[in-house]
Amino acid sequence: IEAQQDAKGISINKAITTPLTETTPEAITSLLAQIMNQNSIRPDKLIGLISRKDVTVRLLKLPSTDAQELQQMVSFEAVKQIPFPAEDIFFDYRIMEATSDGYSHVLLSIAHKNIVNKFMDILGKNNLKPDILTLTAEGLYLWAKANFAEDIKAKKSILVIDIDANK
């Protein structure tokens, strides 16, 4: 997807979908290069989206609103949530809300390094480096937030549908 922001919000300029006949990293790398060359794609910024199915996500309620304390708590929680050693994972978090009673609601995302490294290798072989690496679901959330800020503030119901297929 190629997008651009203007006064009205973010609009999609180009969307390209191509079925994968082969799912090896080499085949995906080659197909990505082909798509980029055929469509003269040279991004100024790149957002990499990792499938939610490849990431463990937890919503945590932690007893602090201090950024340094939260970072330590999240580091501890990340290792407790998965059956892998700490050196085999990447994790990140987003503070969703800080409450008046001193708690924070935190969205924790954990991915095995193999998943992230494979993704980054495919991009790297096409001379691409993402500015942001996030979940597909969070990418949709951020897009909706950027385009419907007033509706969100007014607590209007917003429906975003992502129909995705693995086959």
Side-chain angles (χ1 to χ4, degrees):
I1 294 176
E2 185 179 88
Q4 166 179 342
Q5 185 165 4
D6 57 24
K8 294 179 182 178
I10 298 172
S11 59
I12 296 173
N13 297 337
K14 186 186 293 186
I16 301 167
T17 61
T18 305
L20 287 172
T21 55
E22 217 182 309
T23 59
T24 64
E26 296 79 16
I28 296 169
T29 300
S30 176
L31 182 59
L32 179 58
Q34 180 185 349
I35 291 168
M36 290 181 60
N37 289 331
Q38 287 176 350
N39 295 280
S40 301
I41 298 172
R42 302 288 175 264
D44 294 317
K45 298 282 183 183
L46 175 63
I47 301 171
L49 299 176
I50 292 184
S51 175
R52 167 61 183 90
K53 70 176 179 53
D54 292 328
V55 178
T56 299
V57 177
R58 297 287 186 266
L59 189 57
L60 307 173
K61 183 177 180 181
L62 300 174
S64 179
T65 58
D66 179 76
Q68 287 182 336
E69 284 182 358
L70 285 172
Q71 187 171 3
Q72 290 174 343
M73 289 180 196
V74 169
S75 295
F76 177 74
E77 285 294 326
V79 175
K80 281 180 31 179
Q81 299 292 328
I82 45 97
F84 306 115
E87 58 273 6
D88 290 349
I89 63 167
F90 288 120
F91 71 90
D92 200 2
Y93 65 97
R94 177 181 301 272
I95 300 169
M96 304 302 286
E97 177 186 23
T99 63
S100 59
D101 61 351
Y103 282 82
S104 293
H105 295 271
V106 175
L107 181 69
L108 170 64
S109 301
I110 308 165
H112 197 280
K113 282 187 177 180
N114 291 345
I115 299 288
V116 176
N117 290 339
K118 183 170 83 171
F119 185 80
M120 294 299 290
D121 189 49
I122 289 168
L123 295 179
K125 287 180 179 173
N126 282 287
N127 297 315
L128 297 171
K129 184 178 178 198
D131 297 280
I132 298 170
L133 192 58
T134 190
L135 299 175
T136 50
E138 187 175 23
L140 280 172
Y141 162 74
L142 294 173
W143 175 82
K145 186 176 171 185
N147 281 283
F148 299 104
E150 293 302 316
D151 294 320
I152 291 170
K153 238 183 235 181
K155 300 197 185 261
K156 289 185 178 178
S157 176
I158 299 166
L159 176 64
V160 177
I161 299 174
D162 175 27
I163 300 174
D164 193 0
N166 292 325
K167 296 182 181 174

